[in-house]
Amino acid sequence: MNMSTSRTVICLLRNDLRLHDNEVFHWAQRNAEHIVPLYCFDPGHYLGTANYNLPRTGPFRLRFLLDSIQDLRTSLIQRGSTLVVRRGRPQEVVGDLIKQLGSVSAVAFHEEVVPEDQQVERGVRDICSQMKVKVHTCWGSTLYHRDDLPFNHLSRLPDVYTQFRKAVETQGRVRPVLPTLDQLKPLPPGSGLDEGLIPSPEDLEQTDTVRDPRSAFPCSGGETQALARLQHYFWDTDAVATYKETRNGLIGLDYSTKFSPWLAIGCISPRYIYQQIKKYESERTANQSTYWVVFELLWRDYFKFVGAKYGDRLFDIKGLQDKSIPWKKDMNLFNAWKEGRTGVPFVDANMRELALTGFMSNRGRQNVASFLTKDLGLDWRMGAEWFHYLLVDHDVSSNYGNWLYSAGIGNDPRENRKFNMIKQGLDYDNNGDYVRHWIPELKGIRGGEVHAPWTLSSASLSHALVSLNDTYPSPIVMAPEWSRHTNKKPTGAGPSTRGKTGPSHTPKQHKDRGIDFYFSKSKNF
């Protein structure tokens, strides 16, 4: 067959690094004789962040991405194809390939919601229209398809999550999962198309990671690992059946699903998770925990659709509410926060875990965000951009949406929410094990007292080999509400000695929140 008359489709892959439930591959398989799966290392992803020029892609996420690219290439080779890898702006790479191959009839990709990703899409559309090549787009990043939402237009998307959740749960439907293709049409023969080397972190002028043995996320990237994780968490251990009770955990792998890093770059499909939940519920058990996994997937959907609705306003200092707050930009306070030396152990332990592993629990994220915005009064974008840099599971919509929420200028019907760091520490790390896990210089302080070392006597500190402002800092800020929980210090390690410092069990969820805040005016959280 003459190359110029055969139909070749370029599948431009971005945050859809999987074969299962991937509409782009299905469309190409039906509409092409030859398929070129393509991934571009876009130099824009390795620049500085918008306001504070922090690196945009940190070492943990990059390592996870490189693993995922390698895994996808291996899977494609097993199916008679491969993954073509290039470094460069996707629109330019696509233009070069169209010229080189001479047989490209279409370029297919999944649409994204983030403005800079949409800019890439516009660039690809422009180059294709100049070269008279068709563009086919799909939607595949959310549980509910954009076209199936029970709102006439995204501008009608509710500004409160609960209203969104109730509407999609009662009026929406989740589309079925697309099967994984056994074979993929090959690359065009005789085209001399080089698959391209997968770059190393050093090639991209980034540093590689050193895995910390304490990490709560010691996993590798890739669809193979993602599917194995679901198999483990659902079918091998039944851990999903207690998810709602354990998900506020802080140490270890199985206190939560840990799907988020794979979801962020599309190694696992939210629809596949949903399908497996439904299967688990019918074959094993259906309870609040199995529902809560779907509840959290809906939060993820909601933030994606909020991102689609508001666009660049997601990054505006005034947030979605156009609210002017005199945020500080004190770099000394910010450095103490990001390096885990605020002198508040629960904050510092979480920030050190993030810096050393690229991961932090949901509970930790809420607390350190509240501390930065409410206790330190710093520009919320400092925190959002630090998370953007380091999180292995960074997802633009969820990260910036959650930071706006925490700063009180996002999708939140309740204002002036502020966490009490000491109470939160005692509620969720009652015995102080998590703090000692990440702050070894405090390991001599036993039990829950480790949450407020500045309240201990000099004899107790000396006995614990802690010297405030020397081996560990004094708090860089003090909140008046902390004293309610430090005055009545526990004298031992267990909950029985806690007196009235608060419940030793995990507090009940607020009924509307997966990312559960307590909101009643009388409750101090």
Side-chain angles (χ1 to χ4, degrees), residues 7-237:
R7 287 172 306 147
T8 298
V9 169
I10 295 173
C11 294
L12 175 62
L13 302 168
R14 293 182 298 166
N15 293 318
D16 49 355
L17 303 180
R18 63 176 182 270
L19 282 164
H20 75 275
D21 199 32
N22 193 324
E23 192 181 344
V24 164
F25 285 137
H26 276 263
W27 185 85
Q29 189 75 352
R30 285 196 310 273
N31 290 280
E33 281 145 47
H34 301 110
I35 295 174
V36 179
L38 171 68
Y39 183 86
C40 300
F41 283 87
D42 185 340
H45 292 171
Y46 305 93
L47 301 172
T49 54
N51 299 292
Y52 294 96
N53 200 34
L54 297 166
R56 195 174 285 245
T57 302
F60 303 102
R61 190 158 75 258
L62 179 58
R63 169 46 53 206
F64 195 81
L65 173 65
L66 295 173
D67 291 343
S68 302
I69 298 291
Q70 183 60 62
D71 181 72
L72 184 58
R73 176 175 275 180
T74 302
S75 297
L76 284 166
I77 288 169
Q78 289 165 356
R79 287 163 176 81
S81 179
T82 188
L83 180 63
V84 174
V85 170
R86 296 287 184 269
R87 287 171 63 185
R89 295 169 69 215
Q91 51 270 52
E92 292 167 6
V93 171
V94 165
D96 290 344
L97 282 174
I98 292 171
K99 282 187 200 130
Q100 182 188 342
L101 295 171
S103 61
V104 176
S105 55
V107 175
F109 56 83
H110 275 111
E111 288 181 59
E112 294 284 345
V113 303
V114 178
E116 65 186 43
D117 291 336
Q118 292 179 336
Q119 202 175 339
V120 167
E121 292 166 23
R122 283 192 294 276
V124 170
R125 286 177 194 278
D126 288 349
I127 215 95
C128 288
S129 97
Q130 286 165 33
M131 302 178 98
K132 308 220 168 1
V133 168
K134 182 183 170 187
V135 168
H136 179 81
T137 65
C138 307
W139 183 269
S141 63
T142 51
L143 177 60
Y144 284 88
H145 194 289
R146 178 182 56 188
D147 298 345
D148 300 341
L149 293 177
F151 317 108
N152 295 339
H153 191 267
L154 273 176
S155 62
R156 309 286 297 272
L157 182 81
D159 279 329
V160 178
Y161 166 72
T162 306
Q163 292 170 11
F164 164 80
R165 177 179 63 78
K166 287 178 176 169
V168 294
E169 284 180 343
T170 54
Q171 301 162 60
R173 68 175 188 101
V174 176
R175 295 187 181 188
V177 170
L178 296 166
T180 305
L181 296 165
D182 294 327
Q183 283 291 118
L184 204 65
K185 302 264 177 77
L187 267 58
S191 60
L193 195 57
D194 175 26
E195 67 173 11
L197 286 172
I198 297 174
S200 68
E202 293 74 22
D203 293 335
L204 297 165
E205 294 173 26
Q206 309 293 309
T207 53
D208 205 352
T209 56
V210 178
R211 184 161 282 167
D212 191 297
R214 297 169 292 181
S215 176
F217 188 76
C219 308
S220 304
E223 177 180 24
T224 307
Q225 295 289 330
L227 298 177
R229 173 64 187 164
L230 185 142
Q231 173 68 28
H232 168 84
Y233 194 80
F234 285 22
W235 302 102
D236 299 347
T237 64

Side-chain angles (χ1 to χ4, degrees), residues 86 97 141 242 254 352 360 458 510:
R86 296 287 184 269
L97 282 174
S141 63
T242 54
D254 283 354
R352 292 186 194 189
M360 189 194 295
S458 47
H510 184 278

Side-chain angles (χ1 to χ4, degrees), residues 247-251 255 337 345-354 359-372 387 391 403 406 419 421 424-425 428 434 515-517:
R247 69 199 179 83
N248 279 305
L250 299 167
I251 298 175
Y255 65 76
W337 177 82
F346 193 53
V347 172
D348 291 346
N350 276 290
M351 295 307 296
R352 292 186 194 189
E353 178 183 14
L354 175 63
F359 195 80
M360 189 194 295
S361 69
N362 176 53
R363 176 58 43 190
R365 295 180 201 199
Q366 296 167 51
N367 274 282
V368 301
S370 174
F371 186 78
L372 180 116
F387 273 28
L391 281 174
W403 272 96
S406 196
F419 275 16
M421 293 301 119
Q424 287 279 309
Y428 292 98
Y434 173 73
I515 309 173
D516 41 38
F517 294 112

